Each structure stands twice: as structure tokens, then as C-alpha cells.
Amino acid sequence: MKDLSYKNKKLVFSKTDISSVAKKFKTPFFLYSEEVLTKNYETFSDGAKAAGLIDPLVCFAMKSNPNRELVKILAKLGSGADIVSVGELKRALGAGIPAKKIVFSGVGKTAEEIKFALKKEIYSFNVESIEELELINHLAKKSKKKARICFRLNPVVKPKTHKFISTGNKTHKFGILEKDVLDSLKNKSLWTHSRLVGLSVHIGSQLLDLRATGQAIKRLSEIALKTNIPLEFLDVGGGLGVDYHPDESKSLPQISEYMNLVHKHLQQHFYSKTDLRPRVVFEPGRRIVAKAGIFVMSVLRNKVSENNHFLIVDGGMNDFMRPAIYGAYHGLMPVKEAKNEVRCHVVGPICETTDCFASDRPLPKLKAGDHLVLADTGAYGYSMGSNYNLRGRPLELLAKKNKELKVVNKPQKYEELL
Ligand code: LLP
């Protein structure tokens, strides 16, 4: 059963009738579901355990949605965090995620960020260059600490995904090549106040074809063995996709399939060759939160230019960027079910041609004031938004399990920007 579907012609998101919410709150707004979020996290985490993966640690990729209330829910469920800035680190700690469950990724960590993370004693720095390691080692010495280091390996694989969100090859700024990982281990001066405790890969996002994931885990295993260090953990990154388009539903890897694939490759390339049993770390973002959120908009007006029917809505690319920057498909569902009669370009108010949520999309005839939902917008939605065109950021709402509707981020008034 889908979490977003019609019941008696009314669009319902995990038991919440959207039209009643849209009557109470001014659009546009994001609406999240505690129930879906919880279900997604638990399916992921239980799946890892069921596949026999060792002491799995799920570090939610905060960049996908750092909303405080959502992170609090995940913290209570036992989640860790994958962070890329001191802002995300403070948010994770503030929401109750312990430092010992936090991994810090990113190619551009600043000295201030590193110092703060050292002070908090995070689980690991997922290091993306040798110069970064030098700096961490130096700062650890100054603060009389021993930094826990995980090298993010660049496994040189080519995942099948949009090129803007592919990260595991030589031309990408991410990760360190095998040779540089192994060479650095010989240089004792890099390790006076640092210790290699893990190895990680993250090859890209929105992955539905898992062949490259398998190859990356093979490379991770091989190089982990070549380090000759008893690593505490192997971090297989995030990247597992969701079915944004109905055609993707058939090829969508189930969590059990994904976990079995991780286990199979670790078994074949690591466990069968050593007695070491490092824990397995995951960094999922999208798979946990994309389907736990929708974006509710109102129709402002229709505009028909010869064969082009524009449906102009009050949400814009500043609120939700994915269609504009990746040409991403997202479902569009009117809050009241009706027969599709027109093919529309659904566009926002922003002065950019790419401010378009869908082109030639079959939809019912809608008029000013009707509500329309952009589906699967819980991940990389609000977190990538901006104030472009001097628009305030939208409201975020959470439908709690007890059916209470909670404002989890007030809308920003444009006046605050003046
Ligand atoms: N770990 C690292 C090191 C990452 O860079 C990312 C995402 C993740 C984990 C989580 O990946 P996920 O499980 O969410 O695929 N804005 C793009 C996605 C960018 C992903 C960046 N890194 C989008 O909207 O498709």
C-alpha cells in the first residue's frame, strides 16, 4: 500500500487528509510523516541486521533533510548521522544523536569545524585528501587528542545515475585513490595523533542499479585488507534510490536485496579472507526520508499559449530544486482526485525557465486555489532551498503518529529578508 494515495477521491498521506491540512495552513508547505519516516528507518536498520551484517550503524545523511524534529525522531530510533558541516554536527548533537555515532564527510572541512568535531570526539573523520589528514593530525596534536580517521576511498567505478550526483570516479573531487591511501600509511608523520579506524565508499546517489555498488564494496574490501590494519568498521556509504517515477517501481531494489548484496560482496571479498569482523556503517539519506515528505502547493492561475498550457503554482524552484537542476521527475497529484483532461507545464513564479516541476504532464483541469501535491520531496527538498527572488522559505509541518499536526519550521516571511 502506497503512503500517498486517494481514498474516496481525497488525497491521503499516511492517514493525513491533505485537503484538511491545506485549509488550515497557507501554501506552499512541506508535510512530513513520522509514521513513514519511522517505517523507512526501521526497514533499513532491521534489514541490515536480518542480512547478518555485523553490528550495523545507520548514519542518516543529514544533508538530505536536517529538520530538527525529524532528526530527533531518528535519534530516538537509534540512528547515527553522516554530517558535512559544523552546522549539521550541532544539529545532530542537539537532536540527541551521540557523537560516537557521527561520521564527518566532505572535501572541504575547515580548521574550525575539525577542532569542534575533535572536541566532541566524533566516531570518525571520513577523510577525503591527504592534506586534510595532515591538518586533522596537526589539530589533534594541538588539542591533545587522537583523531579517529576513516579514509573515503575513491573506488573508480561508474554508477548508473545522473552525472551530477555520481561521485565514485577519478574526475570527481570525492574520495582518495587506492595508491594514495596505501602510500599515506607508510608516512608515520601523518599518524602521530591520528589512527585509521575505517574505510568508506560513497559512489553516488539515487542508485537503482546496484552493480557499481557491488564493485565498490569489492574494492573497499580489497583495499581494507591491503592496509593490514585491523579496521573497526567498513562504511558502505549511502546512495540507495527510490522510485520517483512509476516505471522505476519495478526495478526498485528492496532493502533485503540491497543488504544481501552488501553481505554477499563482503563475504566474498573480505570475510572469506580474514578473521576480522569490522562493523558495517551505512549513510543513507534519500531512502529514509524522500518518501516521508510531500510538498503542497496552490494553483495561482492557468495560462494557455496556443498549445502550451501552463499551470502556475505558488511553489517554486527555490523551494524545491530537483526538477530544475537535475531534470528530476516527481509525481504531481491534485488533492481532489479527478480525471486527467489536460497536459500541463506545471511552473512556479520564479523568473527562470527551469522553474518547472513538470512538462506536458496529464492532469485534471485545475483552477486558482486548488491544491496540488509534489510527491516524494522529503529528501533534498527544504535542505536545498534558497531565498531566490527574495522569497521566504516555506513552512514545514509534521504529521505525528498520534495524528497531531506540528509546525516544525515556521514559514520565513520575506520581510525578515528586507
Ligand atoms: N554519504 C555521502 C558521503 C554523501 O555525499 C551522500 C550524498 C550520502 C551519504 C547520502 O546519499 P543518499 O543516500 O541520500 O543518496 N541533491 C542530490 C543528491 C546529492 C547527494 C549528495 N551526497 C539530489 O537531490 O538528488
Side-chain angles (χ1 to χ4, degrees):
M1 180 65 206
K2 292 217 167 190
D3 294 309
L4 181 64
S5 59
Y6 292 101
K7 283 195 191 97
N8 304 324
K9 304 223 174 268
K10 285 177 161 182
L11 191 59
V12 175
F13 180 42
S14 172
K15 300 193 189 117
T16 305
D17 165 33
I18 301 163
S19 61
S20 66
V21 183
K23 265 181 216 144
K24 268 190 235 142
F25 295 92
K26 197 169 169 290
T27 58
F29 57 80
F30 284 92
L31 172 63
Y32 305 120
S33 157
E34 178 176 16
E35 193 166 66
V36 180
L37 182 70
T38 303
K39 181 177 75 183
N40 291 349
Y41 177 84
E42 286 180 338
T43 307
F44 197 95
S45 166
D46 294 349
K49 288 177 206 144
L53 290 162
I54 294 155
D55 193 15
L57 174 63
V58 179
C59 292
F60 173 63
M62 297 276 294
K63 62 175 84 70
S64 61
N65 193 329
N67 182 284
R68 189 183 292 103
E69 293 304 314
L70 300 197
V71 181
K72 271 192 198 166
I73 294 170
L74 292 171
K76 284 208 185 92
L77 294 170
S79 182
D82 162 46
I83 57 139
V84 287
S85 69
V86 74
E88 287 186 358
L89 175 51
K90 288 188 178 176
R91 172 59 56 84
L93 292 169
I97 296 183
K100 65 174 191 298
K101 288 187 182 175
I102 297 180
V103 299
F104 192 172
S105 308
V107 297
K109 303 172 188 81
T110 65
E112 282 65 38
E113 290 179 316
I114 294 168
K115 276 190 234 162
F116 185 77
L118 278 169
K119 193 163 110 200
K120 293 292 168 190
E121 302 188 347
I122 60 166
Y123 189 58
S124 86
F125 289 90
N126 287 7
V127 167
E128 308 233 17
S129 64
I130 304 304
E131 231 178 277
E132 181 189 329
L133 172 62
E134 264 172 43
L135 177 63
I136 296 175
N137 191 57
H138 168 74
L139 295 171
K141 181 177 179 190
K142 276 189 30 193
S143 54
K144 300 193 176 60
K145 301 256 184 201
K146 193 116 187 172
R148 291 172 56 83
I149 304 295
C150 161
F151 272 138
R152 174 168 174 185
L153 174 74
N154 183 323
V156 194
V157 295
K158 280 204 179 102
K160 223 176 118 183
T161 186
H162 193 287
K163 69 171 183 179
F164 290 179
I165 52 176
S166 183
T167 53
N169 218 307
K170 280 186 203 171
T171 51
H172 302 134
K173 66 179 174 177
F174 302 100
I176 310 178
L177 297 174
E178 167 180 359
K179 181 178 180 307
D180 301 327
V181 166
L182 298 176
D183 284 353
S184 80
L185 296 175
K186 295 179 206 140
N187 181 353
K188 295 234 162 50
S189 69
L190 290 170
W191 300 100
T192 55
H193 292 77
S194 307
R195 193 156 66 87
L196 190 72
V197 291
L199 200 63
S200 76
V201 280
H202 174 77
I203 60 169
S205 199
Q206 181 54 13
L207 307 175
L208 297 176
D209 177 332
L210 298 181
R211 274 173 294 187
T213 305
Q215 288 160 9
I217 296 173
K218 175 173 184 271
R219 300 274 299 139
L220 178 77
S221 303
E222 289 166 352
I223 294 148
L225 291 171
K226 283 192 197 170
T227 63
N228 266 323
I229 294 173
L231 299 175
E232 289 176 31
F233 68 94
L234 294 176
D235 176 345
V236 298
L240 189 58
V242 298
D243 49 341
Y244 287 115
H245 192 282
D247 289 351
E248 290 168 335
S249 307
K250 284 170 249 132
S251 54
L252 180 75
Q254 298 303 304
I255 294 296
S256 57
E257 258 173 79
Y258 170 71
M259 294 300 173
N260 288 336
L261 175 126
V262 174
H263 188 271
K264 185 180 114 188
H265 284 83
L266 288 175
Q267 177 61 40
Q268 214 170 326
H269 305 290
F270 194 85
Y271 303 148
S272 63
K273 301 196 160 64
T274 170
D275 291 336
L276 297 173
R277 291 293 177 268
R279 85 187 298 193
V280 182
V281 175
F282 297 88
E283 303 170 1
R286 191 188 312 269
R287 190 63 180 239
I288 306 290
V289 76
K291 299 237 160 203
I294 59 173
F295 185 55
V296 184
M297 309 180 283
S298 298
V299 172
L300 293 174
R301 61 190 65 95
N302 284 270
K303 169 174 172 173
V304 182
S305 304
E306 288 187 346
N307 298 332
N308 289 288
H309 189 135
F310 297 97
L311 187 70
I312 304 171
V313 292
D314 61 356
M317 66 183 271
N318 71 303
D319 302 310
F320 193 74
M321 299 257 280
R322 300 196 72 256
I325 59 175
Y326 312 119
Y329 176 96
H330 281 261
L332 274 164
M333 300 169 88
V335 161
K336 278 194 212 111
E337 189 175 27
K339 188 159 101 277
N340 289 340
E341 287 184 79
V342 274
R343 293 184 88 85
C344 299
H345 307 313
V346 180
V347 301
I350 304 291
C351 293
E352 295 271 348
T353 302
T354 55
D355 183 29
C356 178
F357 291 122
S359 298
D360 276 325
R361 187 72 64 87
L363 281 170
K365 277 191 180 144
L366 297 173
K367 56 179 192 321
D370 287 346
H371 295 122
L372 187 64
V373 163
L374 190 66
D376 309 327
T377 46
Y380 305 107
Y382 192 95
S383 64
M384 287 175 68
S386 77
N387 290 114
Y388 190 35
N389 281 200
L390 216 55
R391 279 161 59 91
R393 307 290 308 276
L395 163 73
E396 290 180 288
L397 288 168
L398 173 68
K400 305 226 301 184
K401 276 190 182 167
N402 63 9
K403 297 216 168 151
E404 186 197 326
L405 209 56
K406 186 172 174 185
V407 172
V408 289
N409 209 358
K410 285 192 200 132
Q412 187 184 33
K413 295 198 180 89
Y414 74 86
E415 288 93 333
E416 295 169 41
L417 302 167
L418 300 180

